[in-house]
Amino acid sequence: MSTAKKEYKRITVKTLVDMKANGEKISMLTAYDYTMAKIVDGAGVDVILVGDSASNVMAGHETTLPITLDQMIYHASSVIRAINRALVVVDLPFGSYQSDPKEALRSAIRIMKESGGHAVKMEGGKEIKESIKRILNAGIPVMGHLGLTPQSIYKFGTYTVRAKEEQEAMDLIEDAKMLERIGCFGIVLEKIPAKLAKEVAESVSIPIIGIGAGRDVDGQVLVLHDMLGMTHEFHPRFLRRYMNLYEDMTTAITQYVSDVKAVDFPNGNEQY
Ligand code: KIV
């Protein structure tokens, strides 16, 4: 297994499969707008996920359920305008693919045509198999999402670790193999035991991207606003905060307010 880092000009779904085969870990972060996506892409992140976590992070909803297909398209098209290198994966939002395969395909086509995204992500296993197949048959790359699936939060009732029981773990492995068999190019595994995630990653040749799934998978994803420390009420064990932007931004904005009140801003050089 080579650890040498290859330079990729543009990341495609094939690049990701090659990266797994070469033992190169895949970096993935969310972004929902042009400015952030430009920074994330410029910093060399391989995959940008326009996640339906935009529902929480951007719109302040408690769950991912309220975000609409139109809103996802708006976020994704803003991200696409910023990108030079990363692969952009767009979440199909709740309600846009669960009812039947035809509707699922219509939703995926809208994402691809109207946002310019490169692939879609869908939560679930065998229960949405026909919808995934329909989308794949239209030439649209699909990433699966297993384990904790936030669009089903009301079914599970909590955001705790999934697949701790043997039956659920076996079902998850079966779903992962099925997603690979029908042609998905990768799978996000959210909040499951690290040992199980490792077993899944070893059982399939498509990349497994973990969030709260340990280190023995093929790549990692985090929500950008969480890893930058912009959100500060969310403390899952898996989250590493690389900055404390909530405090830094509060300090800067407080200083601005104080400067305006004291007529210290603008000064002589900051006017015409
Ligand atoms: O919507 C999202 O941000 C996601 C990640 C948590 C994987 O699906």
Side-chain angles (χ1 to χ4, degrees):
M1 202 180 273
S2 157
T3 50
K5 192 164 180 288
K6 209 171 144 189
E7 285 307 319
Y8 300 101
K9 271 209 173 92
R10 187 111 218 180
I11 306 292
T12 66
V13 295
K14 182 174 178 309
T15 321
L16 300 182
V17 177
D18 290 348
M19 285 166 96
K20 171 163 181 155
N22 295 332
E24 183 181 340
K25 298 287 185 190
I26 297 164
S27 58
M28 177 162 159
L29 277 177
T30 64
Y32 320 101
D33 66 77
Y34 175 86
T35 305
M36 290 292 217
K38 193 131 195 102
I39 297 170
V40 173
D41 185 58
V45 166
D46 299 312
V47 184
I48 293 185
L49 172 65
V50 184
D52 59 359
S53 50
S55 178
N56 314 100
V57 174
M58 303 302 285
H61 291 296
E62 210 173 299
T63 71
T64 57
L65 275 67
I67 199 160
T68 65
L69 188 55
D70 284 336
Q71 288 164 340
M72 288 303 296
I73 290 169
Y74 167 77
H75 287 298
S77 54
S78 307
V79 166
I80 281 289
R81 284 192 282 276
I83 298 307
N84 284 315
R85 176 179 175 275
L87 181 85
V88 177
V89 179
V90 185
D91 265 339
L92 277 181
F94 176 70
S96 72
Y97 63 96
Q98 288 89 350
S99 60
D100 71 78
K102 278 190 187 159
E103 198 203 0
L105 177 58
R106 269 196 298 276
S107 302
I109 287 176
R110 280 202 60 205
I111 297 253
M112 302 299 282
K113 260 182 132 63
E114 296 176 39
S115 78
H118 306 141
V120 297
K121 176 164 82 59
M122 299 163 71
E123 294 183 8
K126 51 187 154 321
E127 67 283 4
I128 56 161
K129 180 177 170 191
E130 291 314 312
S131 294
I132 298 176
K133 276 169 71 178
R134 180 73 71 121
I135 294 171
L136 287 166
N137 283 341
I140 300 173
V142 177
M143 179 170 234
H145 184 154
L146 301 172
L148 173 63
T149 47
Q151 291 180 10
S152 308
I153 185 58
Y154 289 114
K155 178 172 157 196
F156 295 110
T158 78
Y159 287 101
T160 53
V161 179
R162 290 291 138 77
K164 281 163 98 177
E165 306 301 327
E166 195 174 337
Q167 186 58 54
E168 203 186 335
M170 276 162 47
D171 290 347
L172 190 143
I173 295 173
E174 272 317 298
D175 276 341
K177 288 184 178 167
M178 178 277 290
L179 292 175
E180 173 180 45
R181 208 167 44 244
I182 65 175
C184 289
F185 71 87
I187 302 171
V188 165
L189 282 187
E190 182 164 354
K191 228 172 169 187
I192 64 165
K195 192 162 162 277
L196 173 62
K198 178 174 192 279
E199 196 179 336
V200 176
E202 287 170 354
S203 312
V204 295
S205 57
I206 56 173
I208 298 296
I209 312 294
I211 173 165
R215 54 159 65 175
D216 293 319
V217 288
D218 307 305
Q220 299 292 331
V221 57
L222 284 176
V223 168
L224 181 65
H225 294 61
D226 294 338
M227 62 85 76
L228 293 177
M230 289 174 94
T231 48
H232 72 140
E233 287 148 352
F234 182 59
H235 308 281
R237 190 198 297 187
F238 66 76
L239 175 62
R240 183 179 294 181
R241 286 207 166 86
Y242 288 82
M243 293 185 82
N244 193 345
L245 273 189
Y246 187 91
E247 273 181 20
D248 292 349
M249 290 175 75
T250 304
T251 304
I253 294 164
T254 308
Q255 185 63 50
Y256 167 75
V257 172
S258 149
D259 290 353
V260 169
K261 303 276 181 198
V263 201
D264 185 43
F265 173 79
N267 64 26
N269 297 324
E270 292 164 332
Q271 66 185 19
Y272 299 99

